[in-house]
Amino acid sequence: MERVLSGVQPTGNVHLGNYLGAIKQFVELQHQADCYFCVVNLHALTIPRDPAELREKTLELAALYLAVGLDPDKVTLFVQSQVRAHSEAGWLLQCVARMGELNRMVQFKEKSKGADSVVTGLYTYPVLQAADILLYQASRVPVGEDQKQHLELTRELAERFNRDYGEVFTIPEPMIGKVGARIMGLDQPEKKMSKSAESAFNYISLLDDPKTIEKKLKRAVTDSENEIRYDPETKPGVSNLLVIYSLLTDTPITRLEEKYAGSGYGALKNDLIEVTVDHLTPIQQKYQEIRKSAELMQILKQGAEKASQVAEDTLHKMKEAMGVI
Ligand code: TYM
């Protein structure tokens, strides 16, 4: 059976971009592949964090994975730091990666821009991500478009390792959806929706209550026309609302354009508020149950044990190939 791996950082608020770009695919893939999904808390250390908050956010994200419908009997859910092989393989791959290729990483450039000093982990971040993927011999990696460059680097490192040390790794393919791979910010639809956005009006968190969802969608930036049409170039705000609506309801965008022909933006926004609240309410109810239950820790413990078996096997092959005893 095909192997799939992906991860989400436990930082900020998990939002509709993360959900529609990545996590919703995880839920669909669990029926078709041998899936490993992790909470990448070691990656979260690359920006200074409050330790108590990081701990809390790690469990919050694990509970959200379950609340959106991932079934622990079908998929392996785990926390990255609980599988030691990730850190070790990350180091081994740092000795394969080149500074030149890390210098080209757009995410590093963006995150380090204007900072007085940055930790080295922010620079080597994509190498740890490559370790996450390669340790599981994953052939497919469901992610949003912003991870494309990191996936290209992962493939490059795997190919170089296989060439220099012998065949150890499966070369992974990114799985980037045609629609939803780049959900835009509600307040700034020219830029992607982001967990680290300055304003909470940028995103809808999966845990936002109905009143907050209503306020945020009502304030979503549109344009000065009054035509509901999908055209990301000239109408980024309206197009983004159509994409979100389409993915939440599994309705083609062309059908939505027909439905709202002649209607104003207010009508579209009101319906989208209802659709979003209806979609998120059951997720939030399930989240509250799971977050409080002792079962969560048990699921993560079992997940880490299962993930460790696979990861240790690959790590062993890497060390053998590199001559590290
Ligand atoms: P992270 O935590 O920033 O985002 C998690 C997933 O959400 C996707 N995403 C989006 N998709 C559509 N529209 C958006 N506005 C949007 N914002 C985020 C991301 O592409 C991602 O798929 N480096 C990764 C975490 C990671 C990882 C891995 C991913 C670590 N190791 C191994 C895959 C495999 C990250 O920061 O994702």
Side-chain angles (χ1 to χ4, degrees), residues 12-75:
N13 293 301
V14 178
H15 53 61
L16 277 184
N18 303 126
Y19 180 63
L20 300 174
I23 301 172
K24 198 160 168 277
Q25 273 72 267
F26 302 176
V27 181
E28 287 149 21
L29 282 163
Q30 71 181 330
H31 306 292
Q32 307 157 21
D34 180 19
C35 294
Y36 288 74
F37 297 121
C38 60
V39 179
V40 291
N41 59 343
L42 295 174
H43 277 108
L45 294 173
T46 56
I47 304 277
R49 309 263 167 220
D50 171 46
E53 193 183 316
L54 178 57
R55 211 170 285 130
E56 174 60 28
K57 287 279 171 194
T58 302
L59 296 175
E60 178 183 300
L61 177 54
L64 267 174
Y65 271 158
L66 294 166
V68 297
L70 290 178
D71 176 352
D73 292 331
K74 288 209 171 80
V75 306

Side-chain angles (χ1 to χ4, degrees), residues 5-11 15-23 26 38 40 43 61 65 80 86 107 111 125-126 128-133 141-148 150-151 154 180-185 191-195:
L5 175 128
S6 198
V8 177
Q9 287 196 68
T11 52
H15 53 61
L16 277 184
N18 303 126
Y19 180 63
L20 300 174
I23 301 172
F26 302 176
C38 60
V40 291
H43 277 108
L61 177 54
Y65 271 158
Q80 184 189 33
H86 289 245
Q107 195 164 302
K111 291 200 172 168
Y125 176 116
L128 180 61
Q129 180 164 350
D132 298 339
I133 298 165
V141 185
V143 282
E145 200 187 76
D146 61 350
Q147 296 303 310
K148 204 169 160 198
H150 287 170
L151 263 293
T154 302
R182 193 172 171 82
I183 300 291
M184 310 310 275
K191 286 192 177 164
K192 68 169 185 176
M193 187 176 279
S194 165
K195 284 187 210 144

Side-chain angles (χ1 to χ4, degrees), residues 4 37 44 47 71 83 85 126-128 130 152 189 201 203 217 224 238 242 245 269 292 304:
V4 163
F37 297 121
I47 304 277
D71 176 352
V83 180
V127 185
L128 180 61
E152 277 160 16
F201 283 94
Y203 56 80
L217 282 173
S224 55
V238 172
L242 285 170
Y245 195 143
K269 284 184 170 181
K292 284 188 226 119

Side-chain angles (χ1 to χ4, degrees), residues 41 78-84 297 300-301 304-305 308:
N41 59 343
F78 66 101
V79 176
Q80 184 189 33
S81 63
Q82 297 185 340
V83 180
R84 290 183 178 203
M297 298 311 266
L300 292 178
K301 186 165 174 276
E305 278 163 15
S308 290

